[in-house]
Amino acid sequence: MSNAGLRSGQVAAAVGVNIQTLRYYERRGLLAEPDRSPGGHRLYNEEAVTALRVIKAAQRLGFTLEEVAELLEAGRHRHGRPVPGLQDRAAAKLAEVDAKIADLTTIRTALATAVDAGCDDLTVCASSACCPIPFTDLAEENRHAGPCC
C-alpha cells in the first residue's frame, strides 16, 4: 500500500465486493468513512480492507449485517479486553444453523419421498392416504384411501 491510501476500486477488488458495497457499509456504520484526496477521491487504509474481510467472513458464517455491526461495535470498545458475548453469539448462531439444517433435512426427505412416489399433482397427492408430503392441516378423516398419487 502506498502512503496515499487505497482508492475505492482497489479496496473493492482486494475484497471481492463492488464499490457500492463500500458506500453502503459506510452508511450503515460498518466501515469508517475514509479520508479524501485533494481531488475528493475516497482513500482507504489497510484497516478498511481487513474490516471488509471480517464483515464478509461473518456474513458467510450466517451473521446478518446488524449482528456484524454489533460484533464490530463491541470489538471497538473492548480496549484490549476480551469481548463478552462473542462466544455466546457464535453458539447461538450455531444452534440457529443446526435448526435450519434439521428443517432442510425434513424438507429434503419429504421432497425425495414425493419424487420417489411419483407425485405429479399436488391436489391429488394431498387427498391420497399415502401422500408423503406432510399436509398437517388436513384432518386424517378427510383423506380417502386409494391408489397412491
Side-chain angles (χ1 to χ4, degrees):
M1 179 187 101
S2 70
N3 290 336
L6 299 169
R7 293 193 43 188
S8 298
Q10 293 171 305
V11 173
V15 182
V17 299
N18 65 50
I19 293 170
Q20 293 306 315
T21 300
L22 298 179
R23 293 186 182 136
Y24 178 70
Y25 288 171
E26 286 174 28
R27 286 192 306 272
R28 296 273 316 246
L30 295 166
L31 190 61
E33 190 170 322
D35 293 331
R36 299 280 182 153
S37 72
H41 296 285
R42 288 174 165 84
L43 295 175
Y44 295 89
N45 57 27
E46 282 293 331
E47 288 79 26
V49 173
T50 301
L52 284 165
R53 287 184 176 143
V54 167
I55 292 165
K56 297 311 290 178
Q59 284 184 296
R60 282 191 297 277
L61 291 173
F63 289 97
T64 65
L65 282 180
E66 185 175 322
E67 291 168 330
V68 172
E70 291 170 2
L71 291 169
L72 291 173
E73 187 63 25
R76 288 183 188 119
H77 296 293
R78 71 176 190 200
H79 304 294
R81 298 182 312 271
V83 178
L86 178 57
Q87 284 291 317
D88 292 342
R89 290 174 190 197
K93 186 57 67 178
L94 181 59
E96 185 181 311
V97 168
D98 285 342
K100 286 179 183 178
I101 289 171
D103 289 344
L104 288 172
T105 300
T106 299
I107 291 167
R108 187 196 187 289
T109 300
L111 288 171
T113 304
V115 168
D116 291 345
C119 294
D120 222 11
D121 183 317
L122 191 60
T123 305
V124 172
C125 187
S127 62
S128 171
C130 60
C131 177
I133 301 175
F135 292 98
T136 56
D137 60 326
L138 294 176
E140 191 61 39
E141 61 271 9
N142 288 342
R143 291 184 160 197
H144 59 79
C148 189
C149 304

